Amino acid sequence: MSNVTTRFFHTGSATDPIRLRDGGEMEEVTLAYETWGELNEDRSNAILLFHALSGSHHAAGFNPDIEAINGIWQPELHEGWWSDMIGPGLALDTNRYFIICANYLGGCYGSSGPASLDPETGKPWGSRFPHVTAADQVEIQARLLDDFGIGKLVAVIGPSVGGLLALAFATRFPHRVANVVSIASGYKTTVLNRLVLFEQILAIENDPNFNGGDYYEGAPPLYGLALARMISHKTFVHLDAIERRARQDVVQPDDVLAWYRVRDQFQSYMLHQGKKFVKRFDANTYLRINDMWSRFDGAQEGDAGSPEDLFARVKDAGQKWLVFSIDSDFCFYPEEQTELVTHLEKAKVDVMHITVHSDKGHDSFLLEPNLYTPHIAWVLGRA
Ligand SMILES: CC(=O)SCCNC(=O)CCNC(=O)[C@H](O)C(C)(C)COP(=O)(O)OP(=O)(O)OC[C@H]1O[C@@H](n2cnc3c(N)ncnc32)[C@H](O)[C@@H]1OP(=O)(O)O
Ligand SMILES: N[C@@H](CCO)C(=O)O
């Protein structure tokens, strides 16, 4: 895949502000996004991809212009997170499809977010950046599709938190999408997941530099954000995988996070993940997306009275679903993922459920896309 560059979509105005479901209002919203492939003449070959928690719009190829939050070059930012999935002849075949991926609202990779400048003050939004729900996210991205003149999508695809957004899009705009691919995601965030996310909120908000979210003129809450990542990372990678991945030869014994000196390769590995993460991510963005994820309930996001009501509209629209669950997932537990399948089956929606057997855990979709490509290619091929 050749170089790609970030594009920007602007929407909203003083007379037509973006109204968010929690009451927030924004006069102008910017979405950073990338596209791959060509939109055909009747605009009928588009696929909308939703990225996960800390991902960006840069899903494939090499993008030289993604700026990390601290302005330091981060290799993992410039390489697409799904380059093995998107490209000529790949599952998301750019010879056939036009793929779009946007950095979600509240993000820190170019879309409007807490670290971006409030047009009214010329200063970073910080604590004043509004809370954004999954429904808000897909309403904004539907505007991006309108701007392209795209009516109905071939598919929406989302892994992890992106899978929640794919569900929200498919149920809020049931007639605007033919196929839905949900990967390692679910229907409703469980109490356990909300508690894990709550610990991450506490880690960030109790950082001495947090300053209520208004830290951009001083030292950022790196300790809290690193700790939040360390809490979450254990859910992204299968616990056995951590033992395999934590190498002895790169232990950094003098490495400390605040006051703590690592004692073994496992602590050193986890500390490294935290320290690596804070170079590319913003704490306020983490809190906004964490909040969106924590409160996710498919029926609520779709303004439906029940899952039955919600999926009845999916059935009526004739959507086809492909749901992947990962048997070693500690982030979206398999039972969370199968709950989605159960609702779809009860509504008699055309759904194919694939359980991926992987020793990698939740991030299997990042590390071994080859386990997913044949099924996705088949589903899209029948479109
Ligand atoms: C769909 C989306 O939008 S998601 C896109 C978001 N992108 C990501 O999440 C990418 C970041 N990756 C991850 O978070 C996931 O861990 C994975 C599973 C995708 C792989 O992460 P990686 O960090 O690439 O691999 P891994 O978890 O094995 O860690 C390897 C790193 O740990 C280091 N390491 C290994 N053992 C130790 C140790 N004992 N002490 C210190 N460092 C260690 C390695 O040197 C390596 O360092 P590097 O990352 O600087 O090269
Ligand atoms: N590890 C990936 C997937 C988590 O959902 C991320 O940080 O976005």
Side-chain angles (χ1 to χ4, degrees):
M1 175 69 74
S2 57
N3 276 16
V4 285
T5 57
T6 299
R7 299 162 70 176
F8 295 93
F9 168 64
H10 304 286
T11 185
S13 68
T15 54
D16 176 26
I18 305 297
R19 290 186 173 82
L20 301 171
R21 287 158 63 96
D22 266 9
E25 270 197 16
M26 299 180 75
E27 285 188 5
E28 179 191 320
V29 162
T30 297
L31 288 186
Y33 70 95
E34 282 180 24
T35 66
W36 303 268
E38 298 296 324
L39 187 58
N40 62 17
E41 203 164 321
D42 62 357
R43 297 178 170 79
S44 62
N45 69 330
I47 292 174
L48 181 61
L49 178 60
F50 293 104
H51 65 72
L53 174 74
S54 76
S56 73
H57 54 290
H58 179 45
F62 181 81
N63 181 331
D65 57 23
I66 285 198
E67 267 307 302
I69 194 71
N70 58 5
I72 298 174
W73 182 272
Q74 301 296 321
E76 71 180 328
L77 272 186
H78 298 275
E79 292 296 340
W81 51 266
W82 239 14
S83 290
D84 292 345
M85 182 70 75
I86 302 169
L90 299 182
L92 304 190
D93 186 349
T94 48
N95 293 329
R96 288 189 62 187
Y97 307 112
F98 177 67
I99 300 109
I100 309 170
C101 185
N103 179 218
Y104 40 55
L105 179 57
C108 55
Y109 292 119
S111 291
S112 301
S116 59
L117 300 184
D118 175 350
E120 274 188 24
T121 65
K123 292 192 172 183
W125 282 93
S127 61
R128 295 180 304 106
F129 193 83
H131 283 257
V132 186
T133 66
D136 294 320
Q137 296 288 358
V138 297
E139 292 288 337
I140 289 284
Q141 296 206 21
R143 289 180 176 227
L144 174 60
L145 300 178
D146 296 343
D147 197 53
F148 274 108
I150 296 168
K152 184 166 186 175
L153 292 163
V154 170
V156 288
I157 300 176
S160 192
V161 170
L164 302 177
L165 298 181
L167 169 56
F169 184 94
T171 52
R172 293 189 69 83
F173 304 98
H175 295 282
R176 291 196 68 172
V177 59
N179 294 281
V180 184
V181 182
S182 169
I183 303 171
S185 190
Y187 164 73
K188 179 178 178 182
T189 304
T190 58
V191 168
L192 177 59
N193 233 330
R194 290 207 306 272
L195 291 175
V196 172
L197 294 166
F198 174 59
E199 290 163 9
Q200 297 166 53
I201 293 172
L202 292 179
I204 292 172
E205 295 190 349
N206 285 283
D207 182 292
N209 294 331
F210 182 61
N211 193 34
D214 297 312
Y215 49 78
Y216 296 106
E217 293 176 2
L222 298 184
Y223 174 92
L225 181 57
L227 183 52
R229 182 63 170 188
M230 292 159 74
I231 293 167
S232 64
H233 191 69
K234 289 194 296 298
T235 71
F236 300 151
V237 184
H238 191 277
L239 298 182
D240 297 346
I242 289 180
E243 290 193 35
R244 290 197 302 271
R245 305 164 90 112
R247 293 160 40 190
Q248 185 59 50
D249 63 316
V250 289
V251 173
Q252 300 148 16
D254 58 344
D255 196 353
V256 291
L257 184 65
W259 38 266
Y260 187 77
R261 184 174 299 282
V262 295
R263 287 190 172 82
D264 63 29
Q265 72 269 35
F266 310 116
Q267 293 174 2
S268 172
Y269 164 83
M270 200 50 87
L271 195 53
H272 173 77
Q273 290 296 332
K275 289 194 160 186
K276 179 176 163 185
F277 183 67
V278 301
K279 294 174 184 172
R280 69 177 176 92
F281 216 75
D282 171 60
N284 279 321
T285 285
Y286 201 94
L287 291 173
R288 290 298 182 280
I289 302 310
N290 184 314
D291 174 63
M292 179 186 81
W293 179 359
S294 288
R295 61 204 290 195
F296 189 90
D297 173 318
Q300 280 179 18
E301 298 295 343
D303 295 324
S306 66
E308 290 73 21
D309 294 347
L310 188 78
F311 290 104
R313 61 178 85 154
V314 166
K315 169 67 176 172
D316 294 347
Q319 289 176 10
K320 294 180 178 175
W321 280 62
L322 169 60
V323 177
F324 287 100
S325 53
I326 302 169
D327 60 357
S328 57
D329 195 330
F330 284 88
C331 183
F332 285 80
Y333 289 87
E335 49 274 26
E336 280 184 84
Q337 303 172 41
T338 45
E339 180 190 16
L340 172 60
V341 176
T342 303
H343 287 314
L344 288 162
E345 287 176 338
K346 278 172 67 176
K348 303 212 183 315
V349 173
D350 179 336
V351 55
M352 179 161 70
H353 176 206
I354 303 278
T355 297
V356 172
H357 300 282
S358 166
D359 63 358
K360 304 269 187 318
H362 179 69
D363 275 356
S364 158
F365 67 87
L366 288 170
L367 292 164
E368 40 193 8
N370 55 299
L371 298 184
Y372 305 79
T373 45
H375 312 290
I376 292 175
W378 182 81
V379 162
L380 295 179
R382 67 179 182 182

